[in-house]
Amino acid sequence: MVRITVELIRKRAEHNEGEISTLEEISLHQENIEKIEMLNHLCRDLKILLLQYNLISKIENLNKLKKLEYLNLALNNIEVIENLEGLESLKKLDLMVNFIGNLQGVKNLRCNENLEQLILTGNPCTDYMGYREYVIATLPQIKELDMVAIERSERIKALQKYAEAQGDIIRGYKKYVKIREQQKRQHEEKQSLKITEINSDDSENVDEVDEEEEENEKFWNSASHHTPEDRIAIAERVQKIEEKKNSSRKEEEKPKYVPKLFNLKGKPYNINQAKVPFTINDDDPENIILTLQVYKYLDTSYLEVDVQPLYVRVTVKGKILQLTLSSEVLTEKSLVQRNTTTGHLTITMPRLNPSNIISGKKSTNANSSSKEVPKVIKKIGPVITKRELLEIGPPRDDLDFSKIANNSKNKKCPTYLPKLQNSSFNFIDNPQVPPLE
């Protein structure tokens, strides 16, 4: 079961920023607390204390809470009203649905002079004859009992019947004591029977899962009584079921995927787990510029940038973008900026050694000598290749146009040439025909 600890008090003191010493109100309900402790020393300024729906069996360790005005102990296992004399400022006491049988313990509340409201509804003592008259006559300072106001006439009648009501209360309590003893015997018998069944099941080697299911079914189907013992047994059973469910949920939960950032040799991988579009400018001889198209309305607190000499890593809402760099960069001089209009993230990383290949310019170093080293240039002649054709079959001179001139000298002129020459002598010029331009 749960105990009252500093961690539990601090958790329930969130409205007071976790401070305990100045706490004036705290709610510790539905925590299965069995004992009141720690509050007497840690929270002396308390005015409201809510402890309903727990398994507290005794009122204790509250005497130093001098400023306490409202105490709620409803739905617990309290059987006696006691140890409340030190609560000087107590105005309201709620003991609804407990197991208070001895109503004579109400006399212990006479010291609480500021007590105005008392709630005992749902306790066995409320079934006694003369219950209301006895409480009203015993506590003259209260103004309301069980959420019903006390009138002056009712108080006078209660004082007149006090002796008779006191006798009825004593007789009713004697009957309740017998009933309570019988309930305790039944609970002991049930526990002994349960132990014998467990021993017999162990000897038969029954499956543990089936045995537990049968035990739970038998427990919930059996009749339960309104007793402190049964309330504790039910709470323990519910707690076991919750613990089993939580353990099964933890087993079913798959481990989260953890990306591998480096290989076995320590070389970084290129990873874009965030799936954010990006561009990297490697043409600048002085800097390497990485631009990420981050979501426009993403809060900057969700972004984390880590620039290393050989790689850069950007974490976007827990997801990683890692890129290896072409050259070593200066981490201390790197600059991270974000565009207020588009939301894009720009990372400028200066190179450790400016690149000469990209720019085509010489890098001047202070340590380099002023003398230039003459360059030796070697001239290499052109390489001439000869093209050879592979011919298949006998050579053919029909298509060899390189021999046209030689053939024309050997052959005689065609017969039509003399005719053309002879025809020129018979030509008569016509003056009416215009000359050719």
Side-chain angles (χ1 to χ4, degrees):
M1 294 298 171
V2 180
R3 297 187 62 179
I4 299 177
T5 59
V6 177
E7 291 77 13
L8 180 60
I9 298 173
R10 200 178 299 279
K11 178 182 176 182
R12 291 303 185 98
E14 294 179 351
H15 59 281
N16 199 40
E17 297 181 355
E19 294 186 8
I20 298 177
S21 58
T22 60
L23 194 63
E24 295 184 354
E25 178 182 354
I26 188 169
S27 177
L28 298 173
H29 64 285
Q30 294 183 347
E31 291 286 349
N32 289 336
I33 298 170
E34 289 185 322
K35 185 178 180 180
I36 303 174
E37 52 188 346
M38 305 279 300
L39 299 173
N40 209 16
H41 304 284
L42 298 177
C43 310
R44 295 195 178 186
D45 292 336
L46 278 178
K47 293 183 179 180
I48 299 175
L49 177 57
L50 306 177
L51 289 169
Q52 69 270 23
Y53 211 142
N54 286 293
L55 301 174
I56 300 170
S57 58
K58 185 177 181 181
I59 304 174
E60 57 185 347
N61 299 324
L62 295 174
N63 290 330
K64 294 182 180 180
L65 302 181
K66 303 298 181 181
K67 299 180 181 180
L68 190 64
E69 298 179 359
Y70 175 35
L71 176 60
N72 191 337
L73 288 168
L75 293 163
N76 280 281
N77 294 338
I78 297 171
E79 299 188 50
V80 180
I81 302 174
E82 57 184 350
N83 300 325
L84 294 174
E85 293 82 4
L87 304 181
E88 299 174 357
S89 303
L90 187 63
K91 294 181 180 180
K92 183 177 180 179
L93 177 61
D94 190 349
L95 295 171
M96 184 186 299
V97 191
N98 277 275
F99 300 94
I100 300 172
N102 187 5
L103 192 58
Q104 293 180 349
V106 173
K107 294 180 181 179
N108 297 327
L109 298 176
R110 288 177 177 175
C111 299
N112 304 102
E113 298 178 355
N114 296 315
L115 184 63
E116 297 178 355
Q117 300 177 8
L118 177 63
I119 302 175
L120 295 172
T121 306
N123 286 276
C125 61
T126 57
D127 297 330
Y128 299 165
M129 292 289 295
Y131 151 74
R132 187 172 177 85
E133 290 82 1
Y134 178 80
V135 175
I136 293 173
T138 305
L139 302 175
Q141 74 272 27
I142 63 172
K143 300 178 181 179
E144 185 178 306
L145 177 61
D146 296 338
M147 294 176 287
V148 178
I150 301 172
E151 298 179 358
R152 185 180 180 185
S153 59
E154 187 179 9
R155 190 179 298 278
I156 294 171
K157 292 179 180 178
L159 291 171
Q160 293 175 351
K161 297 181 179 179
Y162 177 72
E164 183 181 353
Q166 187 175 12
D168 293 335
I169 294 301
I170 294 172
R171 287 188 291 271
Y173 177 62
K174 289 182 179 179
K175 292 180 182 179
Y176 174 73
V177 168
K178 294 180 181 178
I179 296 172
R180 186 76 186 94
E181 290 177 355
Q182 185 179 358
Q183 291 175 352
K184 290 180 180 179
R185 286 196 300 269
Q186 290 178 354
H187 179 71
E188 292 175 358
E189 292 175 358
K190 188 186 293 185
Q191 289 296 111
S192 61
L193 181 62
K194 181 179 178 180
I195 293 170
T196 54
E197 288 179 355
I198 291 172
N199 294 332
S200 62
D201 290 340
D202 291 340
S203 61
E204 294 176 1
N205 297 324
V206 183
D207 189 4
E208 292 182 359
V209 177
D210 296 338
E211 178 186 352
E212 189 173 359
E213 290 179 356
E214 291 178 2
E215 185 180 355
N216 288 332
E217 186 177 358
K218 185 176 180 181
F219 177 83
W220 295 116
N221 291 333
S222 61
S224 61
H225 303 280
H226 184 58
T227 60
E229 292 79 13
D230 283 358
R231 283 201 64 200
I232 293 173
I234 292 171
E236 290 176 351
R237 183 71 58 171
V238 172
Q239 187 176 3
K240 286 182 180 179
I241 294 172
E242 290 295 328
E243 289 177 356
K244 186 178 179 181
K245 287 182 180 179
N246 294 333
S247 61
S248 61
R249 287 174 185 171
K250 290 180 181 179
E251 292 177 357
E252 291 177 357
E253 288 180 356
K254 296 181 180 179
K256 294 183 178 180
Y257 169 72
V258 179
K260 292 183 178 179
L261 303 178
F262 304 93
N263 60 9
L264 297 177
K265 296 182 180 180
K267 185 178 180 181
Y269 287 125
N270 290 327
I271 299 171
N272 190 2
Q273 188 184 13
K275 296 182 180 180
V276 178
F278 67 90
T279 56
I280 185 166
N281 183 5
D282 207 4
D283 297 335
D284 190 344
E286 302 292 336
N287 303 306
I288 299 176
I289 302 173
L290 174 63
T291 304
L292 274 75
Q293 299 179 16
V294 185
Y295 317 117
K296 182 177 180 180
Y297 298 104
L298 180 66
D299 195 341
T300 309
S301 61
Y302 290 106
L303 299 174
E304 184 179 351
V305 180
D306 183 15
V307 179
Q308 296 296 329
L310 296 176
Y311 68 92
V312 58
R313 183 187 302 162
V314 182
T315 305
V316 183
K317 293 186 70 174
K319 296 184 178 180
I320 297 173
L321 167 67
Q322 180 173 287
L323 299 173
T324 57
L325 303 176
S326 59
S327 63
E328 193 171 353
V329 298
L330 298 172
T331 58
E332 297 179 355
K333 295 183 179 180
S334 298
L335 180 64
V336 180
Q337 295 175 324
R338 191 173 183 192
N339 194 324
T340 56
T341 305
T342 61
H344 293 180
L345 188 70
T346 303
I347 306 171
T348 306
M349 297 165 282
R351 297 178 187 270
L352 179 62
N353 298 316
S355 178
N356 295 330
I357 300 173
I358 300 173
S359 62
K361 299 180 180 179
K362 292 183 180 180
S363 60
T364 58
N365 297 327
N367 298 330
S368 63
S369 61
S370 60
K371 296 182 179 180
E372 295 182 357
V373 180
K375 295 183 178 179
V376 179
I377 301 174
K378 294 182 180 180
K379 293 184 178 180
I380 301 174
V383 179
I384 301 173
T385 59
K386 185 177 181 181
R387 184 176 183 183
E388 296 181 357
L389 299 176
L390 180 61
E391 295 183 357
I392 300 175
R396 296 178 62 182
D397 297 335
D398 297 340
L399 300 177
D400 190 0
F401 298 104
S402 62
K403 300 179 181 180
I404 292 176
N406 297 331
N407 294 335
S408 62
K409 293 179 180 180
N410 298 329
K411 292 182 181 180
K412 295 180 179 181
C413 293
T415 56
Y416 63 85
L417 290 175
K419 292 180 179 179
L420 292 174
Q421 293 175 359
N422 295 330
S423 62
S424 62
F425 296 104
N426 298 327
F427 175 75
I428 300 172
D429 188 11
N430 190 355
Q432 295 180 357
V433 177
L436 295 174
E437 293 181 359

